[in-house]
PDB file of all heavy atoms in Angstrom:
ATOM      1  N   ILE A   1      -2.359  25.871   0.246  1.00  0.00           N
ATOM      2  CA  ILE A   1      -1.591  24.619   0.341  1.00  0.00           C
ATOM      3  C   ILE A   1      -2.582  23.467   0.240  1.00  0.00           C
ATOM      4  O   ILE A   1      -3.549  23.411   1.016  1.00  0.00           O
ATOM      5  CB  ILE A   1      -0.800  24.529   1.659  1.00  0.00           C
ATOM      6  CG1 ILE A   1       0.188  25.689   1.778  1.00  0.00           C
ATOM      7  CG2 ILE A   1      -0.064  23.187   1.742  1.00  0.00           C
ATOM      8  CD1 ILE A   1       0.908  25.745   3.112  1.00  0.00           C
ATOM      9  N   ILE A   2      -2.354  22.602  -0.731  1.00  0.00           N
ATOM     10  CA  ILE A   2      -3.241  21.447  -0.922  1.00  0.00           C
ATOM     11  C   ILE A   2      -2.512  20.204  -0.431  1.00  0.00           C
ATOM     12  O   ILE A   2      -1.396  19.903  -0.868  1.00  0.00           O
ATOM     13  CB  ILE A   2      -3.640  21.272  -2.402  1.00  0.00           C
ATOM     14  CG1 ILE A   2      -4.473  22.471  -2.866  1.00  0.00           C
ATOM     15  CG2 ILE A   2      -4.453  19.997  -2.592  1.00  0.00           C
ATOM     16  CD1 ILE A   2      -3.693  23.548  -3.523  1.00  0.00           C
ATOM     17  N   VAL A   3      -3.148  19.502   0.497  1.00  0.00           N
ATOM     18  CA  VAL A   3      -2.582  18.280   1.072  1.00  0.00           C
ATOM     19  C   VAL A   3      -3.384  17.086   0.559  1.00  0.00           C
ATOM     20  O   VAL A   3      -4.583  16.977   0.836  1.00  0.00           O
ATOM     21  CB  VAL A   3      -2.611  18.310   2.618  1.00  0.00           C
ATOM     22  CG1 VAL A   3      -1.941  17.063   3.180  1.00  0.00           C
ATOM     23  CG2 VAL A   3      -1.959  19.576   3.147  1.00  0.00           C
ATOM     24  N   ASN A   4      -2.732  16.231  -0.194  1.00  0.00           N
ATOM     25  CA  ASN A   4      -3.381  15.027  -0.726  1.00  0.00           C
ATOM     26  C   ASN A   4      -3.064  13.850   0.190  1.00  0.00           C
ATOM     27  O   ASN A   4      -1.926  13.376   0.233  1.00  0.00           O
ATOM     28  CB  ASN A   4      -2.881  14.742  -2.139  1.00  0.00           C
ATOM     29  CG  ASN A   4      -3.247  15.840  -3.121  1.00  0.00           C
ATOM     30  OD1 ASN A   4      -4.380  15.903  -3.582  1.00  0.00           O
ATOM     31  ND2 ASN A   4      -2.296  16.718  -3.425  1.00  0.00           N
ATOM     32  N   VAL A   5      -4.066  13.409   0.918  1.00  0.00           N
ATOM     33  CA  VAL A   5      -3.890  12.314   1.879  1.00  0.00           C
ATOM     34  C   VAL A   5      -4.399  11.008   1.261  1.00  0.00           C
ATOM     35  O   VAL A   5      -5.585  10.903   0.941  1.00  0.00           O
ATOM     36  CB  VAL A   5      -4.642  12.590   3.192  1.00  0.00           C
ATOM     37  CG1 VAL A   5      -4.399  11.458   4.196  1.00  0.00           C
ATOM     38  CG2 VAL A   5      -4.240  13.933   3.783  1.00  0.00           C
ATOM     39  N   PRO A   6      -3.535  10.022   1.080  1.00  0.00           N
ATOM     40  CA  PRO A   6      -3.993   8.741   0.529  1.00  0.00           C
ATOM     41  C   PRO A   6      -4.643   7.873   1.607  1.00  0.00           C
ATOM     42  O   PRO A   6      -4.513   8.146   2.804  1.00  0.00           O
ATOM     43  CB  PRO A   6      -2.698   8.102   0.034  1.00  0.00           C
ATOM     44  CG  PRO A   6      -1.662   8.616   0.987  1.00  0.00           C
ATOM     45  CD  PRO A   6      -2.076  10.028   1.329  1.00  0.00           C
ATOM     46  N   ASN A   7      -5.340   6.872   1.159  1.00  0.00           N
ATOM     47  CA  ASN A   7      -5.825   5.848   2.081  1.00  0.00           C
ATOM     48  C   ASN A   7      -4.603   5.076   2.566  1.00  0.00           C
ATOM     49  O   ASN A   7      -3.834   4.545   1.757  1.00  0.00           O
ATOM     50  CB  ASN A   7      -6.804   4.928   1.344  1.00  0.00           C
ATOM     51  CG  ASN A   7      -7.357   3.827   2.219  1.00  0.00           C
ATOM     52  OD1 ASN A   7      -7.157   3.822   3.437  1.00  0.00           O
ATOM     53  ND2 ASN A   7      -8.046   2.887   1.612  1.00  0.00           N
ATOM     54  N   ALA A   8      -4.398   5.018   3.855  1.00  0.00           N
ATOM     55  CA  ALA A   8      -3.207   4.368   4.399  1.00  0.00           C
ATOM     56  C   ALA A   8      -3.200   2.872   4.123  1.00  0.00           C
ATOM     57  O   ALA A   8      -4.255   2.229   4.048  1.00  0.00           O
ATOM     58  CB  ALA A   8      -3.117   4.617   5.902  1.00  0.00           C
ATOM     59  N   ASN A   9      -2.008   2.336   3.964  1.00  0.00           N
ATOM     60  CA  ASN A   9      -1.850   0.891   3.879  1.00  0.00           C
ATOM     61  C   ASN A   9      -2.386   0.262   5.160  1.00  0.00           C
ATOM     62  O   ASN A   9      -2.207   0.800   6.242  1.00  0.00           O
ATOM     63  CB  ASN A   9      -0.357   0.568   3.697  1.00  0.00           C
ATOM     64  CG  ASN A   9      -0.110  -0.901   3.477  1.00  0.00           C
ATOM     65  OD1 ASN A   9      -0.327  -1.741   4.351  1.00  0.00           O
ATOM     66  ND2 ASN A   9       0.380  -1.232   2.293  1.00  0.00           N
ATOM     67  N   ARG A  10      -3.034  -0.875   5.039  1.00  0.00           N
ATOM     68  CA  ARG A  10      -3.643  -1.497   6.219  1.00  0.00           C
ATOM     69  C   ARG A  10      -2.621  -1.789   7.313  1.00  0.00           C
ATOM     70  O   ARG A  10      -2.961  -1.808   8.501  1.00  0.00           O
ATOM     71  CB  ARG A  10      -4.383  -2.778   5.849  1.00  0.00           C
ATOM     72  CG  ARG A  10      -3.502  -3.921   5.372  1.00  0.00           C
ATOM     73  CD  ARG A  10      -4.321  -5.171   5.077  1.00  0.00           C
ATOM     74  NE  ARG A  10      -3.508  -6.255   4.575  1.00  0.00           N
ATOM     75  CZ  ARG A  10      -2.826  -7.090   5.324  1.00  0.00           C
ATOM     76  NH1 ARG A  10      -2.837  -6.950   6.639  1.00  0.00           N
ATOM     77  NH2 ARG A  10      -2.124  -8.065   4.786  1.00  0.00           N
ATOM     78  N   LYS A  11      -1.343  -1.997   6.921  1.00  0.00           N
ATOM     79  CA  LYS A  11      -0.317  -2.279   7.922  1.00  0.00           C
ATOM     80  C   LYS A  11       0.069  -1.036   8.715  1.00  0.00           C
ATOM     81  O   LYS A  11       0.715  -1.145   9.765  1.00  0.00           O
ATOM     82  CB  LYS A  11       0.909  -2.903   7.247  1.00  0.00           C
ATOM     83  CG  LYS A  11       0.640  -4.308   6.720  1.00  0.00           C
ATOM     84  CD  LYS A  11       1.913  -4.985   6.238  1.00  0.00           C
ATOM     85  CE  LYS A  11       1.623  -6.416   5.803  1.00  0.00           C
ATOM     86  NZ  LYS A  11       2.853  -7.133   5.380  1.00  0.00           N
ATOM     87  N   ASP A  12      -0.299   0.157   8.213  1.00  0.00           N
ATOM     88  CA  ASP A  12      -0.023   1.395   8.933  1.00  0.00           C
ATOM     89  C   ASP A  12      -1.197   1.839   9.802  1.00  0.00           C
ATOM     90  O   ASP A  12      -1.072   2.757  10.606  1.00  0.00           O
ATOM     91  CB  ASP A  12       0.309   2.527   7.953  1.00  0.00           C
ATOM     92  CG  ASP A  12       1.623   2.302   7.240  1.00  0.00           C
ATOM     93  OD1 ASP A  12       2.537   1.740   7.867  1.00  0.00           O
ATOM     94  OD2 ASP A  12       1.735   2.688   6.053  1.00  0.00           O
ATOM     95  N   LYS A  13      -2.348   1.221   9.601  1.00  0.00           N
ATOM     96  CA  LYS A  13      -3.547   1.617  10.346  1.00  0.00           C
ATOM     97  C   LYS A  13      -3.585   0.964  11.717  1.00  0.00           C
ATOM     98  O   LYS A  13      -3.037  -0.120  11.900  1.00  0.00           O
ATOM     99  CB  LYS A  13      -4.800   1.226   9.562  1.00  0.00           C
ATOM    100  CG  LYS A  13      -4.981   2.007   8.267  1.00  0.00           C
ATOM    101  CD  LYS A  13      -6.265   1.584   7.563  1.00  0.00           C
ATOM    102  CE  LYS A  13      -6.438   2.334   6.250  1.00  0.00           C
ATOM    103  NZ  LYS A  13      -7.660   1.929   5.556  1.00  0.00           N
ATOM    104  N   PRO A  14      -4.227   1.609  12.673  1.00  0.00           N
ATOM    105  CA  PRO A  14      -4.877   2.900  12.542  1.00  0.00           C
ATOM    106  C   PRO A  14      -3.882   4.056  12.581  1.00  0.00           C
ATOM    107  O   PRO A  14      -2.882   3.990  13.293  1.00  0.00           O
ATOM    108  CB  PRO A  14      -5.811   2.954  13.745  1.00  0.00           C
ATOM    109  CG  PRO A  14      -5.093   2.149  14.787  1.00  0.00           C
ATOM    110  CD  PRO A  14      -4.440   1.028  14.023  1.00  0.00           C
ATOM    111  N   ILE A  15      -4.163   5.111  11.823  1.00  0.00           N
ATOM    112  CA  ILE A  15      -3.420   6.360  11.931  1.00  0.00           C
ATOM    113  C   ILE A  15      -4.096   7.168  13.027  1.00  0.00           C
ATOM    114  O   ILE A  15      -5.283   7.479  12.925  1.00  0.00           O
ATOM    115  CB  ILE A  15      -3.446   7.147  10.606  1.00  0.00           C
ATOM    116  CG1 ILE A  15      -2.860   6.309   9.466  1.00  0.00           C
ATOM    117  CG2 ILE A  15      -2.706   8.467  10.759  1.00  0.00           C
ATOM    118  CD1 ILE A  15      -1.391   5.988   9.601  1.00  0.00           C
ATOM    119  N   TYR A  16      -3.361   7.473  14.089  1.00  0.00           N
ATOM    120  CA  TYR A  16      -3.978   8.195  15.208  1.00  0.00           C
ATOM    121  C   TYR A  16      -3.088   9.350  15.650  1.00  0.00           C
ATOM    122  O   TYR A  16      -1.934   9.472  15.225  1.00  0.00           O
ATOM    123  CB  TYR A  16      -4.258   7.246  16.381  1.00  0.00           C
ATOM    124  CG  TYR A  16      -3.063   6.469  16.880  1.00  0.00           C
ATOM    125  CD1 TYR A  16      -2.243   6.986  17.886  1.00  0.00           C
ATOM    126  CD2 TYR A  16      -2.761   5.211  16.369  1.00  0.00           C
ATOM    127  CE1 TYR A  16      -1.143   6.269  18.355  1.00  0.00           C
ATOM    128  CE2 TYR A  16      -1.666   4.490  16.819  1.00  0.00           C
ATOM    129  CZ  TYR A  16      -0.864   5.019  17.816  1.00  0.00           C
ATOM    130  OH  TYR A  16       0.216   4.319  18.277  1.00  0.00           O
ATOM    131  N   ILE A  17      -3.631  10.209  16.501  1.00  0.00           N
ATOM    132  CA  ILE A  17      -2.907  11.408  16.918  1.00  0.00           C
ATOM    133  C   ILE A  17      -2.753  11.455  18.436  1.00  0.00           C
ATOM    134  O   ILE A  17      -3.436  10.741  19.170  1.00  0.00           O
ATOM    135  CB  ILE A  17      -3.612  12.685  16.426  1.00  0.00           C
ATOM    136  CG1 ILE A  17      -5.031  12.787  17.001  1.00  0.00           C
ATOM    137  CG2 ILE A  17      -3.651  12.711  14.904  1.00  0.00           C
ATOM    138  CD1 ILE A  17      -5.760  14.077  16.635  1.00  0.00           C
ATOM    139  N   ASN A  18      -1.824  12.296  18.862  1.00  0.00           N
ATOM    140  CA  ASN A  18      -1.573  12.553  20.294  1.00  0.00           C
ATOM    141  C   ASN A  18      -1.184  11.309  21.075  1.00  0.00           C
ATOM    142  O   ASN A  18      -1.495  11.180  22.266  1.00  0.00           O
ATOM    143  CB  ASN A  18      -2.793  13.232  20.940  1.00  0.00           C
ATOM    144  CG  ASN A  18      -3.089  14.580  20.295  1.00  0.00           C
ATOM    145  OD1 ASN A  18      -2.174  15.306  19.909  1.00  0.00           O
ATOM    146  ND2 ASN A  18      -4.367  14.918  20.162  1.00  0.00           N
ATOM    147  N   ASN A  19      -0.545  10.364  20.374  1.00  0.00           N
ATOM    148  CA  ASN A  19       0.020   9.179  21.023  1.00  0.00           C
ATOM    149  C   ASN A  19      -1.018   8.338  21.755  1.00  0.00           C
ATOM    150  O   ASN A  19      -0.695   7.648  22.720  1.00  0.00           O
ATOM    151  CB  ASN A  19       1.135   9.598  22.010  1.00  0.00           C
ATOM    152  CG  ASN A  19       2.142   8.495  22.244  1.00  0.00           C
ATOM    153  OD1 ASN A  19       2.374   7.651  21.380  1.00  0.00           O
ATOM    154  ND2 ASN A  19       2.743   8.482  23.418  1.00  0.00           N
ATOM    155  N   ASN A  20      -2.267   8.411  21.290  1.00  0.00           N
ATOM    156  CA  ASN A  20      -3.330   7.654  21.957  1.00  0.00           C
ATOM    157  C   ASN A  20      -4.327   7.131  20.927  1.00  0.00           C
ATOM    158  O   ASN A  20      -5.175   7.887  20.449  1.00  0.00           O
ATOM    159  CB  ASN A  20      -4.048   8.549  22.977  1.00  0.00           C
ATOM    160  CG  ASN A  20      -4.980   7.752  23.879  1.00  0.00           C
ATOM    161  OD1 ASN A  20      -5.540   6.738  23.477  1.00  0.00           O
ATOM    162  ND2 ASN A  20      -5.142   8.216  25.096  1.00  0.00           N
ATOM    163  N   PRO A  21      -4.261   5.854  20.575  1.00  0.00           N
ATOM    164  CA  PRO A  21      -5.178   5.321  19.568  1.00  0.00           C
ATOM    165  C   PRO A  21      -6.632   5.300  20.016  1.00  0.00           C
ATOM    166  O   PRO A  21      -7.535   5.346  19.184  1.00  0.00           O
ATOM    167  CB  PRO A  21      -4.659   3.899  19.330  1.00  0.00           C
ATOM    168  CG  PRO A  21      -3.928   3.557  20.578  1.00  0.00           C
ATOM    169  CD  PRO A  21      -3.318   4.827  21.061  1.00  0.00           C
ATOM    170  N   ILE A  22      -6.865   5.239  21.331  1.00  0.00           N
ATOM    171  CA  ILE A  22      -8.240   5.167  21.820  1.00  0.00           C
ATOM    172  C   ILE A  22      -8.980   6.475  21.598  1.00  0.00           C
ATOM    173  O   ILE A  22     -10.141   6.491  21.180  1.00  0.00           O
ATOM    174  CB  ILE A  22      -8.270   4.800  23.329  1.00  0.00           C
ATOM    175  CG1 ILE A  22      -7.499   3.502  23.567  1.00  0.00           C
ATOM    176  CG2 ILE A  22      -9.717   4.663  23.808  1.00  0.00           C
ATOM    177  CD1 ILE A  22      -7.991   2.319  22.773  1.00  0.00           C
ATOM    178  N   THR A  23      -8.337   7.602  21.864  1.00  0.00           N
ATOM    179  CA  THR A  23      -8.990   8.908  21.710  1.00  0.00           C
ATOM    180  C   THR A  23      -8.555   9.646  20.452  1.00  0.00           C
ATOM    181  O   THR A  23      -9.143  10.677  20.116  1.00  0.00           O
ATOM    182  CB  THR A  23      -8.701   9.802  22.930  1.00  0.00           C
ATOM    183  OG1 THR A  23      -7.271  10.021  23.022  1.00  0.00           O
ATOM    184  CG2 THR A  23      -9.183   9.154  24.211  1.00  0.00           C
ATOM    185  N   GLY A  24      -7.549   9.131  19.750  1.00  0.00           N
ATOM    186  CA  GLY A  24      -6.993   9.870  18.621  1.00  0.00           C
ATOM    187  C   GLY A  24      -7.140   9.222  17.268  1.00  0.00           C
ATOM    188  O   GLY A  24      -6.478   9.623  16.312  1.00  0.00           O
ATOM    189  N   THR A  25      -8.025   8.227  17.143  1.00  0.00           N
ATOM    190  CA  THR A  25      -8.256   7.561  15.860  1.00  0.00           C
ATOM    191  C   THR A  25      -9.581   8.032  15.276  1.00  0.00           C
ATOM    192  O   THR A  25     -10.614   7.954  15.940  1.00  0.00           O
ATOM    193  CB  THR A  25      -8.275   6.036  16.017  1.00  0.00           C
ATOM    194  OG1 THR A  25      -7.028   5.596  16.558  1.00  0.00           O
ATOM    195  CG2 THR A  25      -8.496   5.351  14.673  1.00  0.00           C
ATOM    196  N   TYR A  26      -9.537   8.492  14.023  1.00  0.00           N
ATOM    197  CA  TYR A  26     -10.737   9.053  13.387  1.00  0.00           C
ATOM    198  C   TYR A  26     -11.019   8.374  12.051  1.00  0.00           C
ATOM    199  O   TYR A  26     -10.140   7.816  11.409  1.00  0.00           O
ATOM    200  CB  TYR A  26     -10.556  10.552  13.155  1.00  0.00           C
ATOM    201  CG  TYR A  26     -10.522  11.367  14.424  1.00  0.00           C
ATOM    202  CD1 TYR A  26      -9.344  11.461  15.172  1.00  0.00           C
ATOM    203  CD2 TYR A  26     -11.653  12.035  14.890  1.00  0.00           C
ATOM    204  CE1 TYR A  26      -9.308  12.197  16.349  1.00  0.00           C
ATOM    205  CE2 TYR A  26     -11.621  12.778  16.064  1.00  0.00           C
ATOM    206  CZ  TYR A  26     -10.444  12.856  16.787  1.00  0.00           C
ATOM    207  OH  TYR A  26     -10.400  13.583  17.956  1.00  0.00           O
ATOM    208  N   LYS A  27     -12.299   8.457  11.655  1.00  0.00           N
ATOM    209  CA  LYS A  27     -12.730   8.040  10.323  1.00  0.00           C
ATOM    210  C   LYS A  27     -13.618   9.137   9.737  1.00  0.00           C
ATOM    211  O   LYS A  27     -14.165   9.969  10.455  1.00  0.00           O
ATOM    212  CB  LYS A  27     -13.480   6.711  10.372  1.00  0.00           C
ATOM    213  CG  LYS A  27     -12.565   5.498  10.297  1.00  0.00           C
ATOM    214  CD  LYS A  27     -13.334   4.250   9.902  1.00  0.00           C
ATOM    215  CE  LYS A  27     -12.377   3.113   9.555  1.00  0.00           C
ATOM    216  NZ  LYS A  27     -13.092   1.926   9.061  1.00  0.00           N
ATOM    217  N   ARG A  28     -13.733   9.133   8.416  1.00  0.00           N
ATOM    218  CA  ARG A  28     -14.495  10.157   7.705  1.00  0.00           C
ATOM    219  C   ARG A  28     -15.871   9.635   7.339  1.00  0.00           C
ATOM    220  O   ARG A  28     -16.004   8.574   6.713  1.00  0.00           O
ATOM    221  CB  ARG A  28     -13.747  10.571   6.435  1.00  0.00           C
ATOM    222  CG  ARG A  28     -14.355  11.776   5.715  1.00  0.00           C
ATOM    223  CD  ARG A  28     -14.016  13.063   6.413  1.00  0.00           C
ATOM    224  NE  ARG A  28     -14.407  14.224   5.601  1.00  0.00           N
ATOM    225  CZ  ARG A  28     -14.158  15.472   5.960  1.00  0.00           C
ATOM    226  NH1 ARG A  28     -13.504  15.731   7.081  1.00  0.00           N
ATOM    227  NH2 ARG A  28     -14.543  16.489   5.195  1.00  0.00           N
ATOM    228  N   TYR A  29     -16.901  10.387   7.745  1.00  0.00           N
ATOM    229  CA  TYR A  29     -18.275  10.096   7.368  1.00  0.00           C
ATOM    230  C   TYR A  29     -18.902  11.393   6.870  1.00  0.00           C
ATOM    231  O   TYR A  29     -18.901  12.401   7.577  1.00  0.00           O
ATOM    232  CB  TYR A  29     -19.073   9.535   8.534  1.00  0.00           C
ATOM    233  CG  TYR A  29     -18.566   8.190   9.021  1.00  0.00           C
ATOM    234  CD1 TYR A  29     -17.760   8.105  10.158  1.00  0.00           C
ATOM    235  CD2 TYR A  29     -18.871   7.021   8.341  1.00  0.00           C
ATOM    236  CE1 TYR A  29     -17.278   6.875  10.603  1.00  0.00           C
ATOM    237  CE2 TYR A  29     -18.393   5.792   8.778  1.00  0.00           C
ATOM    238  CZ  TYR A  29     -17.599   5.735   9.910  1.00  0.00           C
ATOM    239  OH  TYR A  29     -17.120   4.519  10.342  1.00  0.00           O
TER     240      TYR A  29
END
């Protein structure tokens, strides 16, 4: 299964998980 994830629109950012932006927001390096 290939998942193509686009760069989110700035109005949707940050995209975070587990209902917590402080501990659930990530970036790719």
